[in-house]
Amino acid sequence: MRIVASYSIKGGVGKTTAAANLAWLAAESGHRVLLWDLDPQGGATYLFRIRPKVKGGGGALVSGKRDLRDAVKASDFDNLDLLPSDFSYRNLDLLLDAQKRPTRRLGRLLDSMADDYDVVVLDCAPSVSLVSEGIVRAADLVLAPLVPAPLSVRTLDQLRSFIAEAKGPAPDLLAFLSMVDRRRRLHRDLSEQLPKEHQDVSGTTIPMASVVEQMGVRRAPVVAWARTSPASVAYRSLWDEARLHAKV
């Protein structure tokens, strides 16, 4: 089982969109996929038309009082299940802190699912926290969206430092630019420069596109219903890179 975390320190950069589309693409390729929506806002849960509720909340999962399998919901797509968000996840740091070896807890919970799934995609809340440390420790690949702005490099540097300082083996890091509007010179320049200057930045960019925004209306990944759109083509290219880094 391989674990891919869609994670960034900064919010509003396309983490949930990436997680939903890559989880669908992994399932389409025949893998058994679990998407765990760890964000208390529940964006991925909403997109897949699942109620954002876990019986007993995050506390029951973290403590082991409820098996992860009991909280998993089937999606409308073959090979793709979802472990939904719950508003109690806003307190997940505190819940983890009450456990022994808290940074290992998420990884151990996911290890119990290894016989059921080939790929786990984590949709992570934007933060630098105990939960984030657990995610970094559990993941084989951290997939980090960046917006095309000068501060993106600073955000990426912070993320590199955070991963380097986390205990245990470091996951691979693959950053990519999202919400790219090629009508803007700055967006075009950064799309060309960053992959050349940083080995961990993908040459694949996700465009700013109305079809991506329509995911919230259609409540399905764009790759499922607009397969030939530039956005879908970009996500397929990103998945091809991600699967190589994660050794899926």
Side-chain angles (χ1 to χ4, degrees), residues 13-137:
V13 296
K15 295 184 305 300
T16 294
T17 307
N21 282 288
L22 267 61
W24 189 94
L25 288 168
E28 184 201 36
S29 63
H31 297 295
R32 300 168 299 166
V33 180
L34 175 66
L35 172 58
W36 189 356
D37 187 352
L38 282 163
D39 190 336
Q41 296 183 71
T45 302
Y46 176 83
L47 287 175
F48 284 97
R49 302 175 181 268
I50 292 173
R51 184 186 176 204
K53 183 69 175 176
V54 173
K55 187 176 181 180
L61 298 181
V62 168
S63 67
K65 292 179 180 178
R66 188 171 192 208
D67 193 291
L68 255 62
R69 292 178 183 82
D70 295 335
V72 169
K73 305 294 182 183
S75 77
D76 294 333
F77 304 103
D78 292 341
N79 299 324
L80 178 53
D81 293 339
L82 189 131
L83 209 167
S85 171
D86 188 275
F87 198 52
S88 67
Y89 289 176
R90 70 192 188 279
N91 297 319
L92 208 52
D93 269 349
L94 297 174
L95 297 171
L96 285 174
D97 194 42
Q99 303 297 312
K100 293 181 179 179
R101 297 180 176 178
T103 60
R104 296 187 183 183
R105 187 59 182 157
L106 291 178
R108 288 181 174 177
L109 289 171
L110 289 168
D111 284 345
S112 68
M113 310 291 279
D115 291 336
D116 302 304
Y117 297 101
D118 306 309
V119 179
V120 175
V121 179
L122 305 178
D123 181 25
C124 311
S127 64
V128 179
S129 64
L130 190 59
V131 176
S132 305
E133 289 185 49
I135 288 165
V136 166
R137 184 149 191 175

Side-chain angles (χ1 to χ4, degrees), residues 206-226:
I206 307 300
M208 177 75 76
S210 60
V211 289
V212 176
E213 296 173 348
Q214 289 172 30
M215 282 176 56
V217 177
R218 292 179 177 259
R219 298 182 72 176
V222 66
V223 289
W225 52 270

